[in-house]
Amino acid sequence: MIDSQELFFMSLSSSDSSLDAFQTMAQRLSQLQRVSDVDAFTDLIVKREAQGLTMIAPQILMPHAVGSVVLKNTVLVGLFPTLQHWNRGLSVRLIVMLATPNAAAAQNDPQLMTLLTKLADEQVTEKLVAQKTVSQVQLLLQ
Amino acid sequence: MQLNDQQQALIDILMRQNDYITAHKLSEVTNTSTKTIYRNVRSINDSSESGDVIEAVRGRGYRLNYDRYIYERNTSVDNTLDYSPIERRNRILLELLFNAPFDLNVDRLYEHYYVSETVIENDISLMNKLALSFGLVLKHRYRRLSITGPEPNIRQAIRNTINKGDLMDKESIDDFIDDFHELSSFDERFLIAQLEYLERSLKLTIPYPYNINIFSHLYILMSRFREGKVVDDPEQNRLTADQKALTERNPKFAEVAREIIGKIGRYLNTTLPAIEDFYLLQYMVSMRYDRELPSTNHEDRLVDQLVVFYVDGFDFNGRAVDRTALVADLRNHIKPMVNRLKNGISVANHLLKEIGSEYPDELAQVKQLSSEAQTKFALPAAISADESGFITLYFAKYLEQAKPAKRILIMCASGVGTSQLIRVKVQKAFPDLDVVAVVSKDGYLKHAADYGHVDLIITTVNVTPADNTSVVMVSAMFTKADRDQVANWIERRDS
């Protein structure tokens, strides 16, 4: 069971680019008081994506950022109503966004490890992208 | 898809390769010309019905389409036209042996093979030599062939002919049954029931390949009494002193053997000679069981000496293997092997080719030791290549275990997120790898020395380590292609 204080869910509306989606999610993290600076955080996420795509399974992107703008370990899961097709041939249905103040905080977090172990299972990731609603996704990951 | 040895060797190389390999390189490895490679590739592809089994890309070379290969291998039709000359002779010889001493018409024997009279003549002369080597006589009169000779020799010849060729390339009793169409489902069920009875009454399980050995022995026995005529020779039916001693040493086994032979006799509606009890007993004492069986001191001494001879004589190349465990394991194999040698029982090792290509040096060493052992310990028979193959597997097992675990670093830009996920996936796919740490690229470049010796970095971002540590780039998904890359690296490192 993942602590709900750390794991949040939201539904995303269709967007033209990954940047739009990242900004929307960064704003949500800011509302949740997990991120102090929306733009700086989005910048970290985009820079990481530029180094190599973070597709962890078909249709699932795991953008992540490490930095002092993050106030607390947080995972925000966003589900699009349909499959989004972006630049670089990216097709995304689900975004699992990871935010952490420093690497050590993430590596020693048992709840985060539990979530990652679930995401390492192809049967789980296949099920995730087949879901229609956020609450169904939530049920699978909690 | 029917492949000759050269073609099969080519497929084996491509199967291990996983990536494209040039014709030039293939010709080096197989010690043939590139022309031969081209010809074999074309011929393999021509014989496939589902498309090219070996795919070629200009500038890169050849690669095996594994799915297609498996498909072709599994669907190739069992057609008598496809038999090689050796297989054809083996099959005909078997038919004659089963029918001995009755004769069979040459035209009927050959009706499915569509070969010329010259080929038949040549076959008969070769089969005659084979028969002579077993102390049997092949008679050819008025276009009829027959084999005559003592029953034990006939059985030995049948066993050897089945073991040779691909007839005994069996991994299970089901495979054996598939290849012997003469076996009716009644016989099959009856024989399996006998095996089960044997296991039940002795409270043990018979492991591969001994289950097939006993099954084929009983099958041969039934066929001999049904199709041929077993000459009732009182001389042969009397047990020698050694044979009597073996029976007395194993009273429980002898009793079960007697019961099973009795049942087979009733099934065939005849009385089987008492010597059959002993033949079956020979098989039973020559198997490897999952638990220790009582035996005499004299046998034990020879077994111990042999085990020590193999383990001391083997060059482990400086690797620290668990000798005590190896000795114990090997002892359990050598003990029934000694019984097999005494009783003239051969086992087929269908893995022999693979063992030869995976562990060529180890197999060569064991073969050498086997041949020395025969002279040194005055063994009653030579230790066959098949037996040496089994022994090699024990050495290979312990050599593999003695390999130090490879130290792996997993890296991404931040050391958080995808790399953590990849750690979980790597540990699942390669439990033998030792994942030392999950690191960020910057963290690693600044403090590389902190991680000690590292064999491989699995990374989702570009990195060039200062000390030339191997790097495998993977996607964050760690897909099958990524797994294959890591597996390839392991294989390259191991060889």
Side-chain angles (χ1 to χ4, degrees), chain B residues 443-477:
Chain B
Y444 172 74
L445 292 176
K446 277 183 203 143
H447 311 287
D450 293 359
Y451 302 103
H453 168 76
V454 170
D455 292 293
L456 175 71
I457 300 173
I458 298 177
T459 172
T460 55
V461 290
N462 261 324
V463 65
T464 319
D467 59 354
N468 287 329
T469 305
S470 302
V471 173
V472 170
M473 273 278 279
V474 296
S475 75
M477 284 198 220

Side-chain angles (χ1 to χ4, degrees), chain A residues 51 55-57 64 98 107 116, chain B residues 413 415-416 420-421 438 476-477:
Chain A
Q51 290 192 31
M55 293 294 291
I56 56 157
H64 49 277
L98 242 66
Q107 288 184 1
L116 290 172
Chain B
V416 178
Q420 295 285 354
L421 192 68
V438 175
M477 284 198 220

Side-chain angles (χ1 to χ4, degrees), chain A residues 100-116:
Chain A
T100 186
N102 60 65
Q107 288 184 1
N108 299 322
D109 186 332
Q111 282 156 3
L112 191 57
M113 284 314 295
T114 312
L115 175 73
L116 290 172

Side-chain angles (χ1 to χ4, degrees), chain A residues 48 51-59 62 64 66 98 100 102-103 106-107 112-113 115-117 119-122, chain B residues 412-421 423-425 428 438-441 460-462 475-479 483:
Chain A
R48 168 63 189 91
Q51 290 192 31
L53 283 181
T54 61
M55 293 294 291
I56 56 157
Q59 306 180 24
M62 187 195 266
H64 49 277
V66 186
L98 242 66
T100 186
N102 60 65
Q107 288 184 1
L112 191 57
M113 284 314 295
L115 175 73
L116 290 172
T117 308
L119 289 172
D121 186 340
E122 278 168 27
Chain B
C412 80
S414 55
V416 178
T418 50
S419 51
Q420 295 285 354
L421 192 68
R423 178 224 283 259
V424 177
K425 291 190 174 184
K428 212 158 119 189
V438 175
V439 294
S440 70
K441 181 177 170 179
T460 55
V461 290
N462 261 324
S475 75
M477 284 198 220
F478 202 62
T479 57
R483 281 201 299 278

